[in-house]
Structure formats: structure tokens, C-alpha cells
Amino acid sequence: MISSKYTIREQNESIILNEIITHKEISRATLSKMSSLNKASVSSIVKKLIKDHLVVETRIGEATNRGRKPILLTFNGKESGLAIAIDVGFEYIDGLLTTLDGTEIRRFQLIDTYANKYNIQKLIHQVVEKLTLKLPPTFHGIVGMTIALQGQILNNKIISTTYSNLEEVDLETLLNAEYSYPVYIENEANLSALGEYTFSSDLNNLVSISLHSGIGVGIVKDGKLDVGNKGYAGRLGHTILIPNGRVCSCGNKGCLEMYCSTNIIYREIAEAKHLNKINSDIVLHLYNSNDSKVINMIHEYSYYLSIAVNNTIMLYAPDIVVFNSPLTKKIPDIITTIQSHLKNKYTNGIPVISSSIKWNPVLSGAISLSIQKFLNIEKLKLSSS
Ligand SMILES: [Zn+2]
């Protein structure tokens, strides 16, 4: 049963709360100026936010024009509540618990774990149990949990995934029946983009490219996530790189992810070097040992990725392109090589970077979504700590 605390916050209340979060410390008078709401309305909204334990009066500020010294207001993110993020990766499950200002309380990972339609609920339960052991006291407790998955997801429903038949379970219904707080489901590349927007970027238009076993793009336009009307906008891995090329599971030939997903990169390097085991650390070691075969292969993958980056910039005109991948994090030359191939007059001024988010950016986005929904703030900016 969802209690009344999850009911949607009234719009003016969300506007005022967002101003308080953005400004860290702000007076009622400044809030009135910023929001164009009169002082009486601001005062009554602030009174309600204080009563809801979302805002606290912190200290007396400096007076302006010999007026009364104002009382400054701050978002009570540390004490008001908690949010959960779960990233269901291809071979792991990563969980994070934070306060509502994005401060990490606990992190727990299951590795070498493969989710399927039979075990997914149990695996999520296992991670949540570890995360929620001895919760710090907060006024609202856990306010929401967001599950990140690869694949096409629309309005919390899994339309298709790259995992074992996960679309055959109604995960949203199962999880919302199990937990006392709302549970949301969203695509991992979309959440990465939201994480970049919320925690690390001053920019309002960005794309985040997730380079994993699949390749996806999350798009944030004017602060809002754009998933397309069917939830598969940004499935970059299924854009065609080579006409009539390798057969892809999507039904087409020559898709990008048949040439430079991490699965393909690992498999081809393992074959070329006759290795039984491979991961990003082994690729990094070979690259740093000046293995000319591996260096050439990495440069070729980077060239393929630069074509994808070029096409993405031409379609979405973002202010920045952020990569989320263990490979780009460990081998910065991939990013440099991609940049060197961006030659047209539109793309060569657009920064391409590797994500600098401390956590897995997918988790940051999943935390952000849980908090956004609870506060009813769509364009939320927090700084991670
Ligand atoms: Zn495809």
C-alpha cells in the first residue's frame, strides 16, 4: 500500500523546493523573486515543506538595504529520506542506497550473477536486503527504488531485453507488490544520461553513450530525458555501420554493436591473442605493453565508435558527449582517437569525454529518478558526495 507521502507534490511546491535545492541556501524574499510567486504564497509553501521535513531553516543571512536579516532555507536532503538504485547488468547486480541529496550510505554488488525471468526478483531482494540492513533514521524512510536494465523499457514495462526472457515477467507489478515504496524501471543508458545531468554536468543538453555488451545512447534535452514515444530512442547499437554486414539479433545486418560492443571487442582480442580469459584490465595491460596488434584493433574500434558519435551529434546536437564504459575509463586513448576522427564543422567543437561520476553513472541516474519522482522535480541537479 502506497501511503499519502508519495502523492504528487503540487507544482508551485516543486518549483520552490527546486530553487532551494539549486541555491543551497536561500531566503523567502529571494525565493519570491526567483519564482514570481508572492511572499505570502512562498511563506505558506515553505511552511509546508518545513512541516514535511524537506526544508530546514539553517542560519540568519546578511541584511540587504538595511532591512531585516533574512532566515536562510536549505534542502534537508540528509535527514528527509533515502533512495535505492539497482543496476541489473549482464553479469552483475549493483545496488546503492543514498540520502535524498545523493550522499552514499551503502553499496552492495553481486558479481558473476546472471539475471533471468526465474531469479530476477530473488536477486533484487538479496541486494535490497543488504542495502537496507540498519537504515539511518530519516523522516520519510525509503522513498523509491529504480531498477536499471538494458533493453527497451516504456513506462516501467520491459518491452524487450538482451537478458534471458526478462520481458516475460511483469517485474513492475511483482516489485511494487513486494515493497512498501514505489519501484520504477528504466533503461540503463537513459539512466546514465540522467545521472550525468543530475550529478556532474552544468549542461542541459547531453548524450551519454553506454558502451557495454550492447551500445545505447541516453538523451537529455533541456534537462529532460527523451526516450522516444516507444522507449527505444537511442538504441545506437542497432544503427547500421556496414551495409549488408554481420547478421544481428535485431533482424538486420551490419549493426554497430556487431563490430564494437565490449563483447565483440573482448572476443576478438581474446581470439587474436589466444587467451582463455579476458576483461577490461587484460585489454588495458596489452594496450599499455605496446602490443601492436591490440593497439591497431583498439584504434579500429575507436574509429567505428567515432562514426557513431558523429551520427549521434548530427541527430541530437548535444552540448557534450559522455562515454560510460569500463574500456573508455581505463583506456583514455579511445576517447582521444574518437575525437581525432570528428572532422566535420559541426562535430569538432563538441567535447567527448569519459564519465567522471564516482559511482557507476547508471546508479547515479537511478538514484536521481527515485528522488525526482518523490519530490516531483523533473530537472533536478545535485552534487554527489
Ligand atoms: Zn541490430
Side-chain angles (χ1 to χ4, degrees), residues 217-231:
V217 172
I219 307 143
V220 170
K221 193 178 171 200
D222 192 24
K224 292 182 186 174
L225 204 52
D226 180 1
V227 303
N229 66 355
K230 294 200 172 151

Side-chain angles (χ1 to χ4, degrees), residues 13 16-17 45-55:
E13 206 179 309
I16 294 295
L17 185 55
I45 290 170
V46 166
K47 196 174 165 190
K48 182 169 183 299
L49 291 171
I50 291 175
K51 195 168 157 256
D52 282 351
H53 307 287
L54 292 172
V55 167

Side-chain angles (χ1 to χ4, degrees), residues 141-155:
I142 297 165
V143 302
M145 169 160 78
T146 298
I147 312 289
L149 289 168
Q150 292 180 25
Q152 183 189 356
I153 292 153
L154 185 63
N155 299 328

